[in-house]
Amino acid sequence: MSVYIYDKEVQASSIWRTLRTFSDIGIICLDYKINFRSEKGIDYLDKIHRRAAKRLLRCCQENGGLFIKFGQSIAVQSSLLPPPFRKELSVLYDNAPSVSVDKIAPVIEQCFEGKGLGDLFDEFSPEAVASASVAQVHVARLKGDRSKVVAVKVQKPEIKLQIDWDLFTFRTCARMVQYAFGIPIMWSVKEVERRLREELDFEREANNSELAQRDLDTMADGWLKRAVYIPKVYWEATGKQVLTTEWIDGTSLVDPKQLLDEQWSGREIMQRMVSVFAFQIFVSGNVHGDPHPGNILVRQHPDNKLWREPQLVLLDHGLYVRETPRFRKQYAEFWRAAVIGDKSAMKSIAQSWGMPDAGMFSAMVSLKPPQLGTRKKDSVARAKADASRAADGSDGSSLGSYDRQMEIKKRAITALRDSSNLPPELVFVVRNTNIVRANNQSLGIPVNRIKILGQYAAYGLRRILVEEAWSPERRYSQERGVAVGRGSLVSRLLGVVAGEWSYVTFRFALWAAGVGMTLYGLWG
C-alpha cells in the first residue's frame, strides 16, 4: 500500500503506468505469436487485429500523457498496419482529460517566478477549452489590455514527473516489439526521445512557430502566404511551461462533418494543407512533426469580405525537425528520380541511406505503394482492386491482403536491416506525410497529394541547385557533377542550367503522370 501511495502522490502513477504498459504490450505480442496463423482464415485474423488495437487504445487512454501521442503516431500508420489500428486509435485525436485550474496555477507561478494568474491576465477561463496529451488550453485576456483575447497553453503538472518513466517504457516496448517480430525499429527511438523532450519546452515551441511564419513570409508564393496563418506569440506571458498566443476562432479538422456542414470545400482545404507541409519539407527545411487534425483550424480569411476563402491556422509547433541541406536535396532528388522513372538514381540514394530496396523506401515515404507482383498484368489488376476498395470504403481484409501484409513486412525488415546511415530527420518527415495522407483520406481524398508534393519537390530542388551554382565555393566538375572549389562564371551558369533542366523535366514528368492517370480513369 505504501508503494502505491508513493507512486500515486510522488511519481504521478508513473510506476503503475509502466507496469500496465509492459503487461498490455506483452499480451499483444503473445497473442500474435500464438494465434496469428493464416490457415485460420481472414475473419479470425481480423479479430486478433481488433483485439490488439482495442487493448492498445485502452492502455493509451488509461495512461494518458505521452501515451496519447504514442497512440496517435500508431494511428496514422495506415500503409503498414492493419485497418483496425487506425480505426480504434483515431479516437485519441479527441480531447484528452483536463485538470482543474487549481492544479495548473502552481505551474504558472513557477514558470514566472511567483507571478500568478492575476498578475498576467485580467481574465482566465476556469475550464480548459481544449486538452491534449501534455498540455491544456484556456482562453484569457492579457493584463492591461482586455482587447487581446489569447490562448494560454499550460503544461500539465504530472508530465514533468512522468517523462523519464514514459520514455523508458517507450524504449523498452520498442525493444520488445523488435525482438518479438523482428522488425528493426530501434534506429528511430533515440531521435523520437530527443524530439519529445524538446516538445516540452514551450519557449522552443514559440520560436518554432515564429520561424514557420517567417519562412512563409520570405520563401512562399503569394497564394500560400494567404492560405496559411500561424498565431502570434505574446512573449510577456510565455515561458518554459506556458505558451500564450493570440486566440483564433475556427473549425477543427477533427470534425470533417462540421466542415462540410459549414460548406467548406474539402479540396480547397487539402490543397492548402498538402501545400504548406510540402513547402516545409522541400523548401524551408523546418518541418512540423505533428500535423494531426486537432492541430489545424479552418477559418474564413479575415481580409476577404466578398467570397468564401478558407485559411488554415496551424497550431502546436512543439515538435519540429530541422532538415540538413544535404538531406533536403537528396530527398527531393529521390522524388524526382521516382517521378521520371530513374531507377538507378532511386537505388543510389536509397543505398546511401542503408536501404537496398528503393521500392520499399518509396512506400515508406508515401510516394507510392510497394510493387509486390512480378508481372505487369498482376500489378494493374492489383491497382484496380485497391482503387475499388478505396472507393467503397472497404478495409481490404482478404486473404490477398494477408499475403500482401506479410510480404511488406518481410521487405520492411530487409530494408531497415542496416539503419546506421538513415538520416534522423527521416522519422518525422515520414510521420508528417503519413498524417497528412490520413487527413486527406478523412476528407474523401479530394486532392492528388503526390502531385502537390512533387511540385514542391521540383521547386525546392531547383532552389537548391541554383543556390549551389551561385555559391562562392562552386566550381563545376564534369566527372563528379559537384562543386569542388571557387569557379568561373561559365561553370556557375552550367549549374543554373542544370537546376532549370531538373525543374523542367520534373514538372513535365508530373504533368505526364497526371495525364496518364486521367486517361486511365476514363478508359482503364
Side-chain angles (χ1 to χ4, degrees), residues 111 153 155 191-214 230-231 233 235 238-245 286-288 315-323:
C111 191
K153 178 179 177 180
Q155 194 172 117
E191 181 69 8
V192 171
E193 288 187 9
R194 183 167 76 91
R195 297 298 178 183
L196 288 176
R197 288 188 184 278
E198 289 178 354
E199 190 176 3
L200 299 184
D201 181 351
F202 289 180
E203 288 181 346
R204 176 183 286 271
E205 177 176 349
N207 283 317
N208 287 341
S209 67
E210 291 191 335
L211 177 59
Q213 184 63 59
R214 189 158 59 247
I230 296 170
V233 175
W235 282 99
T238 292
K240 291 289 186 181
Q241 294 173 281
V242 179
L243 172 64
T244 302
T245 66
N286 298 307
V287 183
H288 196 307
L315 310 175
D316 196 351
H317 301 266
L319 188 59
Y320 261 66
V321 61
R322 308 277 192 271
E323 296 173 338

Side-chain angles (χ1 to χ4, degrees), residues 232-367:
K232 176 185 175 182
V233 175
Y234 291 102
W235 282 99
E236 64 270 28
T238 292
K240 291 289 186 181
Q241 294 173 281
V242 179
L243 172 64
T244 302
T245 66
E246 64 177 308
W247 176 265
I248 302 290
D249 286 312
T251 302
S252 172
L253 215 71
V254 168
D255 190 357
K257 184 178 182 300
Q258 180 64 29
L259 290 171
L260 294 177
D261 290 343
E262 294 178 5
Q263 299 183 333
W264 290 116
S265 164
R267 182 174 178 274
E268 290 186 337
I269 291 170
M270 285 311 305
Q271 274 184 328
R272 287 157 172 77
M273 186 189 306
V274 177
S275 294
V276 68
F277 295 125
F279 165 82
Q280 290 186 337
I281 291 170
F282 293 111
V283 181
S284 74
N286 298 307
V287 183
H288 196 307
D290 201 16
H292 71 73
N295 288 337
I296 301 171
L297 301 179
V298 180
R299 68 168 180 173
Q300 169 65 24
H301 196 292
D303 296 335
N304 190 341
K305 308 299 183 183
L306 300 178
W307 64 85
R308 290 179 69 77
E309 180 186 358
Q311 184 181 61
L312 301 190
V313 180
L314 301 188
L315 310 175
D316 196 351
H317 301 266
L319 188 59
Y320 261 66
V321 61
R322 308 277 192 271
E323 296 173 338
T324 63
R326 181 173 183 270
F327 170 82
R328 188 156 44 93
K329 180 182 179 182
Q330 285 185 313
Y331 195 53
E333 287 176 333
F334 185 88
W335 271 73
R336 179 181 184 274
V339 170
I340 69 174
D342 188 348
K343 293 184 179 180
S344 176
M346 289 175 64
K347 185 177 181 180
S348 176
I349 295 169
Q351 287 182 340
S352 73
W353 290 349
M355 299 192 69
D357 190 341
M360 191 63 205
F361 180 68
S362 295
M364 289 179 60
V365 300
S366 303
L367 181 52

Side-chain angles (χ1 to χ4, degrees), residues 370-380 382 407 411:
Q371 298 299 310
L372 304 181
T374 56
R375 296 165 52 198
K376 184 175 180 181
K377 184 178 179 181
D378 292 339
S379 297
V380 172
R382 184 178 296 108
E407 187 168 348
R411 289 182 62 178

Side-chain angles (χ1 to χ4, degrees), residues 165-176:
W165 281 96
D166 287 354
L167 292 180
F168 162 75
T169 305
F170 167 68
R171 184 167 58 250
T172 305
C173 288
R175 289 191 183 278
M176 290 170 62

Side-chain angles (χ1 to χ4, degrees), residues 107-121:
V107 175
I108 296 174
E109 291 177 7
Q110 182 181 12
C111 191
F112 294 102
E113 299 180 349
K115 289 184 179 180
L117 290 174
D119 299 312
L120 297 168
F121 308 103

